[in-house]
Amino acid sequence: MIADLVFYMCATLLLIGGLGVVTARNPMVAILFMVLSFFNAAGIFLLLGAEFIALLTIMVYVGAVAVMFLFVLMTIDIDFEMLKDGSKKHLPLGIVVIGIMLAQILFGVFSGVFTEEAAVTGMPMPTEGENVVHIGNILFTDYLLPFQVSGFVLLTAMIGAIVLTHRKRPDSKRQVISKQVARTREESMAILDVPSARGTADMKPEEVK
């Protein structure tokens, strides 16, 4: 009875968190909703007896991914108006993706994938031993091919991120250490004779010594 109540509480908060992620206007609020979703997903994993996956969810997704997103959002200047325009522009594509995901869920429900018998057949629960050992045995035996494919997908995403970061842009400024070392004092600094009660913004070039 208590386990059922905890499950429904975690599931409800998980849905609220997911809804908040996609509807929040502020990206910082969306990330906080995402952290809420991760914690409640970890709670559901604990109820299912998968404490190792629950611990990984908190350590990886909350401790690494969500914190990285927060640091990135705090260090960049976000133009919220541009984000709103971009969301409206990609709204039809988003609706198509949501429709495909909804069709997959309905297909799984009506084909019996989410039944208890199918879950036991697909991944039998061990009665003895540690979860880590059993997960490792299943990953490297029955699910070796999907595990390797997932690794290649992650590797492709990592290479893509590196390529996008190092692409040449006309407005980007790159550090050239040799040029910085070769700069003279005249090129690096300017001595201005600033009159009293006057700023340096409106000074003319001939006033620069």
Side-chain angles (χ1 to χ4, degrees), residues 153-206:
V153 171
L154 292 176
L155 178 63
T156 305
M158 184 181 67
I159 295 175
I162 295 173
V163 172
L164 290 175
T165 304
H166 288 83
R167 73 184 189 279
K168 293 183 178 179
R169 294 178 299 180
D171 57 340
S172 64
K173 296 181 179 179
R174 296 184 179 276
Q175 184 182 28
V176 182
I177 299 177
S178 59
K179 290 185 178 180
Q180 291 180 336
V181 174
R183 291 180 68 184
T184 61
R185 186 184 67 176
E186 289 73 15
E187 294 174 343
S188 304
M189 59 182 296
I191 300 176
L192 306 180
D193 186 9
V194 182
S196 177
R198 181 184 174 187
T200 59
D202 55 346
M203 292 190 67
K204 298 178 180 178
E206 56 269 19

Side-chain angles (χ1 to χ4, degrees), residues 112-126 138 142-143:
V113 174
F114 297 126
T115 60
E116 185 176 356
E117 294 78 9
V120 174
T121 304
M123 188 171 181
M125 298 297 292
I138 291 175
D142 299 338
Y143 295 94

Side-chain angles (χ1 to χ4, degrees), residues 51-70:
E51 63 273 5
F52 178 71
I53 299 180
L55 183 62
L56 282 183
T57 302
I58 295 176
M59 290 178 61
V60 176
Y61 290 99
V62 178
V65 177
V67 173
M68 183 190 67
F69 285 169
L70 285 174

Side-chain angles (χ1 to χ4, degrees), residues 23-91:
T23 58
R25 295 178 178 273
N26 192 326
M28 297 290 289
V29 178
I31 292 181
L32 294 179
F33 273 116
M34 186 171 66
V35 172
L36 176 67
S37 301
F38 287 154
F39 272 112
N40 287 281
I44 293 177
F45 284 134
L46 279 177
L47 289 176
L48 295 174
E51 63 273 5
F52 178 71
I53 299 180
L55 183 62
L56 282 183
T57 302
I58 295 176
M59 290 178 61
V60 176
Y61 290 99
V62 178
V65 177
V67 173
M68 183 190 67
F69 285 169
L70 285 174
F71 275 120
V72 170
L73 288 177
M74 287 188 294
T75 53
I76 62 176
D77 185 15
I78 301 175
D79 189 352
F80 291 100
E81 294 298 328
M82 186 181 68
L83 290 179
K84 293 178 181 178
D85 294 338
S87 61
K88 294 177 182 178
K89 179 182 178 182
H90 298 94
L91 182 60

